[in-house]
Amino acid sequence: MATEREVLEFIIVPPFEQRAAVTAAKERFENYLANRFPGYSFRVGPFTPVGDEDEFSVLPLMNFPGDDGKSYMCTPPKRWFLQEIADACQQFDWKGLRNFAA
């Protein structure tokens, strides 16, 4: 059994100051990211003290169950890809005025 697999799911943790706006637009924000990065899924997590509290934190879900019932680790995503996701989070229009905001 091949135990290498790409990370396909990410948890997005909003900056402390934007947690209310992110919560209010959670579904639209998750859809925006899924449309921006086809083949990947995103879930908004609650604010937690990780990373820089002024920026979005992108946390890859690294574990997956194998056919044998054991847990395996995914291949870590490239740093540039995590940064692209974080940049896309910053570009999201929280007021829903831009047409690319899903």
Side-chain angles (χ1 to χ4, degrees), residues 1-92:
M1 169 183 157
T3 57
E4 289 195 25
R5 190 162 124 183
E6 177 185 7
V7 172
L8 298 176
E9 190 169 0
F10 299 88
I11 296 175
I12 307 298
V13 178
F16 182 75
E17 296 294 324
Q18 288 184 284
R19 67 192 187 284
V22 173
T23 300
K26 180 182 177 211
E27 186 176 326
R28 192 168 58 88
F29 181 52
E30 291 171 342
N31 288 334
Y32 159 79
L33 290 171
N35 288 333
R36 186 98 182 242
F37 301 97
Y40 298 94
S41 62
F42 300 89
R43 289 190 279 168
V44 172
F47 173 78
T48 57
V50 297
D52 184 352
E53 67 181 41
D54 295 329
E55 296 185 16
F56 285 89
S57 294
V58 180
L59 307 173
L61 293 178
M62 297 288 293
N63 289 357
F64 69 94
D67 293 336
D68 57 3
K70 294 181 181 177
S71 182
Y72 293 95
M73 294 290 286
C74 294
T75 303
K78 302 288 186 198
R79 286 181 161 252
W80 62 263
F81 185 60
L82 295 175
Q83 188 59 53
E84 277 191 24
I85 296 170
D87 291 345
C89 292
Q90 292 290 356
Q91 295 169 5
F92 183 74

